[in-house]
Amino acid sequence: MKLQQPSAPCEGWAESLQDLPGFYVRLLSHYDTELRGAADHLCAVNIMSSESTMDDEDTFKILIATDVHLGFVEKDAIRGNDSYTTLNEILNYAKTNQVDFILLGGDLFHENKPSRRCLHRCITMLRQYCMGDSPIQFNILSDQTINFNTTQFPWVNYQDENLNISIPVFSIHGNHDDPTGAEGLCALDLLGAAGLVNHFGHSQSVERIEISPILMQKGNTKLALYGLGSIPDERLYRMFVNNQVTMLRPKEDQDEWFNLFAIHQNRSKHGPTNYIPEQFLDDFLDLVVWGHEHECLITPTRNEQQLFYVTQPGSSVATSLSPGEATKKHIGLLRVKGRKMNLQKIPLKTVRQFFIQDVVLSDYPENFTPDTPQVTKKVEALCYAKVTEMLEEAERERLGCPLTPEKPLIRLRVDYSGGFEPFNTSRFSQKFVDRVANPKDLIHFLRHRELKEGIKDEANVDYSKLVKTTAVEGLRVEDLVKQYFEAAEQTVQLSLLTEQGMGKAIQEFVDKDEKDAIQELITYQLEKSQRHLQARGVTTEQDIDTEVKRFRDSKKNSAEEENEIKEVINRARAHRLERGNEPGDLNIAEELADVNMDSDEDSVPLPAPTRGRGRGGRGRGGRGGRGRGAAAFEPKPASRGRSQKTSATTQSRSIMQAFQAPSQKSSWTGGTTSYKAEEVTIDDSDEDLPVMKATRPPPRPAPASSASFKYSSMSQSQSQSSRGVAFEDSDDDDEDNPFKGPSHRSRR
C-alpha cells in the first residue's frame, strides 16, 4: 500500500432534511428551541436500520484505554494492587467481548524503569488474556518495517509463526514510560521483544516527524491507525508551527479509510507552548484518542474547526488527589464499520472510589471566626463532619458493587485564609485510619487567596509555598522550575543556564536517577559560555554580563538548546557508565540501612563520621561473599558542605573572575573541541559559602551521535475536504444498531 502526504482541499456537499425518511422530518419538527442545535446535527446523519450489522465481518471492535499507570504506589499496603486489578478487569472485558484488538494511549507503566514485580504481573496478565487460539479477523496492508521500527521483529505479533495471539495489543508510549538511553528503549520494547505488545508511534528524530499509519482491513472496512508517542510539549508545539510534522495517507481510495489517531500530550493549556492545540492536527482524521490527561471525558466531542471527534478516556487509576481524578473512570468499546463509528462507554468496577471537597473557613462566619475561643476545635469538628459525609456517600455508592475496593480515597481541601490556623492533620487522620485508603493526606490546607496577593510583589514571593502548592496539583518538575524562575525573573534571574535546560536536568535527576545531570549541565554551559566570550574578545565585567545574557537568550526555545540538553544527558550517562554504576544503585548509607532493616539481629549503630566509612568486625560478614574491599570505603575529598577550612581560605567570585585567565582554563585550537575547564561545584548548604574550584578530569569522549534519518518534505495538511464520521455514545449494551454516520460531511 503506497502512502502520500495529505492532498489539496476539495469542495464538500451537505445532505438536507429531505434526504431523511419522513418520520425523522416530522420528529425534528416537534423539537423545541433548546434542542434545535442537536436537530441540525442529526440532519447529516444516516441511521442504519438493519439489526444484523452490530458485529459482523465488516465491523472493527476496538477496546480503548489510556494511562493505566501499572505499578503506581505498588508498595502501599492498601492501594498497591489497584493498578493491577484494574488492568485485569480491562483485559478480561476485552476477552469476554472478543474485540479485534486493544488500543492503549500511553503510560501503561507508571515508572520509566518498572520493578520486576510490575513487569512480572503485566507479562502474566497479557499472556493469560491475549494469547490463545482465537483467529484474527483483520489483515495489515502497510509496510510493517516502518510501523514497528523499534524492534528486531518488525511485524505484528499475531503474524509471528512462533506466537499464538488471540487479542493483539497496540500501544504508544507516554511520558512516564518513554524511551531513554543510548538505544532509545522503553518498557514497551521489552514487552514487544517478548511478543506481547505492538509498540508503534515512536519517532526517532528531533528535527522532523513523519507519522506512517498502520493500515488494517476487516471485510470491507479499512482502518488507518496513526500513533505518536509522548514528546516534550514545547518541542512538538514548535515542530507543528514550523511544519515539521507530516501524517502520511494512502494514495488509493483515501475517502474510504477511517482515520484513527492516538496521541499522548497535554490537551489543556499549561503555558504558551506547553500543550498541543487540537487545531494543529490534520483535518482528515475521524477520531482522536487523547492520552495523558487523567480526567475521564470519554464521550467524543466534535472539533468544529477541524471536523473530527476527540475522545479522552482518562486514567484507569487515580494517581493524584485532584478534582479531575474524581470523575467516574471508563474505558471505551469502539465499533467502526466503513466510515461510521460508535463508542460505548464502559464503567470500570474495580477502581477505588475517590471523593474530593473544598471547604473555605471564612464562609462559616455563623459558626466561628479567627477570634472565636477554641476556634481550632470547631474547625476540626467541621472537617470531621465533612469527611464523614463523604464516607457515607461512598458507602451508598459501593452497595451492590462487590468488585469496588472497600476503603475509598478522601481528600478535603481546607482554605484557611483570613487569619485561621491549621490543626494537627496527623492526629485528625488517626480517627479515619481504618476507613480511608489515604489517611496520611486526608486533609490539605491551602491559602490560595493570600498566595495570589503575594505574587503581585515578586520580591516577596514565598517560593516554598508556591512550589508546595503547585506540586499537589500534579505539575511536572520542569513546570515547577519554569514557574519558579518566571516569578523571580526580576530578582533571581539565571545568568548562564536556561529554564528549560535546568528543568530537564532536574527531571532526569528526580525521575530517572541521573545523579550527574545537573552538574554536567552547569559544567557544559560554563565551558560553552567561556568559549563564546573568548571568541568575542570580551574583557570588561559589564560587557561580560551583557554578552552572557544575550548568549543565553539567543538559545531559548531553539534547536540548539534541545541539542545541548541531549548532549548533557549523554555526558551524564557516559560518566555513570565509566564509574560502573547503574541508575537506582544503593549508596553506602542506603546499603547499611538495608542491612539493619533486613537483619534478624539487633540494630547496630553506624560508626561515627570521624572514624571513616570502613567496615569493622560488625559489618556485613554474615552475608558472605558480598563484602567489598576497604578501598571502596575510603573517605572522599570534601567538595561540598560546610567545611570550615573552605570558608576560611576561599572567597566568593564574581562572574568577571569566573571567566578570567583563559589560558589556564582552556587549551584548544581551531577546528578541535577538546579542552579543559574548571569545574564549579555548587554548594547546597543553608549558608552563603564561597564556590570551590576543583580540577576537571580529562574530557570524556563524546557519545556516538544517533543515526540520521532522511524524511520527505513536510506539508502540514490544511485540507478542507469533505469527510467525516458521526458517533453515538451509549451506555446500553443492547443497542440495536450503534452505527450512525454521514456518507459525507461539509465544512461551513
Side-chain angles (χ1 to χ4, degrees):
M1 180 63 66
K2 296 182 179 179
L3 299 175
Q4 68 177 14
Q5 296 182 3
S7 59
C10 61
E11 296 295 331
W13 58 279
E15 295 182 352
S16 63
L17 281 173
Q18 286 75 14
D19 296 329
L20 290 175
F23 169 76
Y24 291 103
V25 175
R26 292 192 299 271
L27 178 63
L28 292 178
S29 65
H30 293 287
Y31 275 27
D32 59 15
T33 304
E34 296 179 355
L35 297 180
R36 290 196 182 275
D40 293 338
H41 177 69
L42 288 176
C43 71
V45 176
N46 179 24
I47 301 177
M48 300 176 62
S49 57
S50 175
E51 297 182 0
S52 62
T53 56
M54 170 73 77
D55 296 327
D56 55 18
E57 64 276 3
D58 295 331
T59 303
F60 272 101
K61 293 176 63 178
I62 308 168
L63 189 74
I64 296 177
T66 64
D67 296 88
V68 178
H69 286 275
L70 204 62
F72 174 69
V73 293
E74 61 179 345
K75 296 183 180 180
D76 189 284
I78 300 176
R79 306 164 60 189
N81 288 321
D82 285 2
S83 60
Y84 303 115
T85 304
T86 303
L87 178 61
N88 186 82
E89 179 186 6
I90 294 172
L91 296 177
N92 181 63
Y93 192 93
K95 185 175 183 179
T96 303
N97 288 268
Q98 299 179 351
V99 300
D100 290 301
F101 64 89
I102 300 173
L103 177 61
L104 301 179
D107 281 354
L108 174 60
F109 296 98
H110 183 70
E111 298 291 342
N112 184 266
K113 301 180 180 70
S115 65
R116 281 176 291 186
R117 178 199 179 208
C118 181
L119 283 172
H120 179 263
R121 293 285 294 271
C122 181
I123 293 173
T124 301
M125 286 185 283
L126 290 174
R127 178 174 177 176
Q128 177 182 355
Y129 290 103
C130 299
M131 301 186 76
D133 296 328
S134 299
I136 305 299
Q137 303 293 339
F138 65 92
N139 296 320
I140 294 183
L141 309 179
S142 55
D143 187 353
Q144 300 185 40
T145 59
I146 298 177
N147 300 141
F148 311 109
N149 57 1
T150 61
T151 175
Q152 296 181 357
F153 310 97
W155 54 81
V156 69
N157 59 351
Y158 75 83
Q159 292 182 352
D160 194 310
E161 59 183 7
N162 298 316
L163 300 173
N164 207 11
I165 304 297
S166 60
I167 304 178
V169 179
F170 295 87
S171 177
I172 62 175
H173 64 263
N175 60 305
H176 280 255
D177 51 9
D178 60 323
T180 57
E183 298 181 1
L185 297 176
C186 63
L188 287 178
D189 293 317
L190 300 180
L191 300 180
L196 299 173
V197 170
N198 301 292
H199 178 205
F200 73 109
H202 181 196
S203 175
Q204 298 177 327
S205 173
V206 297
E207 298 178 354
R208 185 174 297 277
I209 298 176
E210 271 192 355
I211 306 176
S212 183
I214 304 175
L215 301 180
M216 308 175 180
Q217 183 169 2
K218 182 180 181 182
N220 295 323
T221 301
K222 298 179 179 180
L223 175 68
L225 177 60
Y226 297 82
L228 182 61
S230 177
I231 296 176
D233 293 295
E234 295 83 355
R235 180 198 303 170
L236 186 59
Y237 187 102
R238 184 174 64 250
M239 296 180 75
F240 270 113
V241 171
N242 296 332
N243 292 332
Q244 295 174 334
V245 181
T246 305
M247 302 184 73
L248 303 180
R249 300 186 65 185
K251 287 185 177 180
E252 301 86 5
D253 305 324
Q254 289 188 357
D255 294 335
E256 296 182 5
W257 291 88
F258 183 92
N259 301 295
L260 177 63
F261 182 37
I263 186 174
H264 191 97
Q265 303 291 153
N266 276 331
R267 185 183 180 190
S268 57
K269 188 174 182 179
H270 295 274
T273 61
N274 197 8
Y275 77 114
I276 302 301
E278 295 179 7
Q279 288 72 18
F280 280 3
L281 306 182
D282 288 87
D283 60 356
F284 68 83
L285 296 173
D286 297 310
L287 179 65
V288 177
V289 178
W290 208 295
H292 184 64
E293 299 287 355
H294 282 203
E295 183 179 3
C296 183
L297 302 174
I298 197 169
T299 301
T301 58
R302 189 186 190 206
N303 186 294
E304 296 299 334
Q305 182 174 347
Q306 300 296 92
L307 298 183
F308 54 64
Y309 287 92
V310 180
T311 177
Q312 181 179 304
S315 65
S316 304
V317 61
T319 61
S320 63
L321 302 180
S322 59
E325 298 275 17
T327 57
K328 185 69 175 178
K329 302 292 186 182
H330 292 82
I331 55 176
L333 180 58
L334 176 67
R335 291 180 172 91
V336 177
K337 183 176 182 180
R339 295 296 307 280
K340 305 153 193 165
M341 73 174 183
N342 167 268
L343 183 63
Q344 178 185 348
K345 298 184 295 185
I346 304 170
L348 294 173
K349 301 177 181 179
T350 59
V351 176
R352 190 176 298 275
Q353 295 170 292
F354 175 36
F355 295 88
I356 186 170
Q357 189 172 346
D358 293 334
V359 174
V360 181
L361 298 183
S362 58
D363 292 344
Y364 297 87
E366 67 281 0
N367 297 340
F368 45 73
T369 64
D371 299 329
T372 302
Q374 297 183 339
V375 62
T376 303
K377 291 185 178 180
K378 295 184 178 181
V379 171
E380 190 171 346
L382 174 65
C383 295
Y384 183 90
K386 295 293 184 181
V387 173
T388 303
E389 290 176 3
M390 288 188 282
L391 286 172
E392 293 174 352
E393 182 181 358
E395 185 63 25
R396 288 192 298 268
E397 290 188 5
R398 200 176 63 85
L399 293 177
C401 299
L403 298 179
T404 303
E406 181 179 357
K407 296 180 180 180
L409 295 169
I410 301 294
R411 166 55 69 92
L412 186 65
R413 302 193 300 184
V414 182
D415 186 345
Y416 65 104
S417 306
F420 293 94
E421 295 295 334
F423 53 78
N424 190 314
T425 57
S426 299
R427 183 179 58 197
F428 179 85
S429 300
Q430 290 299 317
K431 303 175 183 178
F432 301 95
V433 68
D434 295 328
R435 302 178 62 185
V436 301
N438 59 318
K440 293 183 179 180
D441 47 13
L442 179 64
I443 300 291
H444 173 55
F445 285 101
L446 65 159
R447 302 172 66 177
H448 282 314
R449 296 179 180 176
E450 295 182 7
L451 181 61
K452 292 179 181 178
E453 295 174 359
I455 290 181
K456 295 179 181 178
D457 185 6
E458 295 180 345
N460 298 322
V461 174
D462 188 345
Y463 293 107
S464 61
K465 292 183 179 179
L466 180 64
V467 173
K468 182 178 180 181
T469 302
T470 54
V472 176
E473 303 300 327
L475 293 179
R476 300 176 298 172
V477 173
E478 57 266 36
D479 295 330
L480 300 179
V481 174
K482 185 175 182 180
Q483 184 174 358
Y484 178 96
F485 286 110
E486 283 181 351
E489 187 68 21
Q490 301 299 327
T491 55
V492 196
Q493 186 180 20
L494 289 174
S495 297
L496 293 177
L497 311 179
T498 61
E499 291 83 357
Q500 182 179 355
M502 179 61 76
K504 185 64 177 178
I506 295 177
Q507 182 191 23
E508 291 287 324
F509 178 84
V510 174
D511 294 344
K512 302 175 184 178
D513 203 22
E514 288 291 351
K515 296 181 173 61
D516 297 326
I518 300 176
Q519 180 182 353
E520 287 292 340
L521 174 71
I522 296 172
T523 303
Y524 184 86
Q525 294 283 14
L526 179 60
E527 294 168 351
K528 194 163 186 178
S529 299
Q530 288 175 339
R531 298 197 304 272
H532 175 77
L533 293 176
Q534 292 168 3
R536 292 278 182 173
V538 181
T539 57
T540 65
E541 183 172 359
Q542 182 178 2
D543 292 341
I544 287 179
D545 292 338
T546 303
E547 186 63 27
V548 166
K549 185 177 184 302
R550 190 200 63 78
F551 181 59
R552 184 203 63 166
D553 294 340
S554 65
K555 296 183 298 182
K556 280 188 176 182
N557 300 322
S558 64
E560 180 182 1
E561 185 180 20
E562 294 284 352
N563 294 333
E564 287 185 1
I565 296 173
K566 186 176 180 180
E567 173 67 18
V568 166
I569 295 174
N570 289 336
R571 282 192 178 193
R573 290 169 183 159
H575 194 187
R576 167 170 51 79
L577 294 176
E578 283 184 0
R579 298 196 308 267
N581 295 340
E582 289 295 334
D585 286 349
L586 296 175
N587 57 28
I588 304 303
E590 291 172 337
E591 290 183 29
L592 293 177
D594 183 60
V595 171
N596 292 335
M597 291 296 294
D598 296 340
S599 176
D600 294 332
E601 302 176 359
D602 295 336
S603 60
V604 181
L606 294 176
T610 55
R611 301 180 59 184
R613 300 179 68 180
R615 297 183 179 180
R618 292 185 296 178
R620 299 169 67 179
R623 297 200 176 189
R626 292 188 63 187
R628 300 181 182 177
F633 298 93
E634 293 178 2
K636 298 180 179 180
S639 61
R640 301 175 63 181
R642 305 181 180 180
S643 173
Q644 296 181 357
K645 182 178 180 181
T646 298
S647 61
T649 59
T650 61
Q651 298 178 353
S652 300
R653 297 184 303 165
S654 64
I655 189 171
M656 176 65 179
Q657 294 171 324
F659 295 105
Q660 287 180 349
S663 61
Q664 299 177 4
K665 295 184 180 182
S666 62
S667 58
W668 53 289
T669 59
T672 65
T673 57
S674 61
Y675 52 87
K676 290 186 178 180
E678 293 183 348
E679 184 178 51
V680 177
T681 303
I682 302 300
D683 180 33
D684 57 352
S685 64
D686 297 332
E687 300 177 359
D688 294 330
L689 296 182
V691 179
M692 295 294 296
K693 294 191 293 184
T695 303
R696 179 173 177 81
R700 297 179 296 277
S705 59
S706 59
S708 60
F709 297 86
K710 184 176 181 181
Y711 292 87
S712 61
S713 61
M714 159 63 194
S715 63
Q716 175 82 14
S717 173
Q718 301 297 334
S719 172
Q720 305 284 335
S721 59
S722 61
R723 79 283 177 275
V725 298
F727 72 93
E728 175 188 2
D729 58 295
S730 172
D731 292 329
D732 299 330
D733 295 338
D734 57 350
E735 186 74 22
D736 290 340
N737 185 10
F739 302 102
K740 298 181 181 180
S743 57
H744 295 277
R745 180 169 57 196
S746 63
R747 178 185 298 276
R748 292 190 293 269

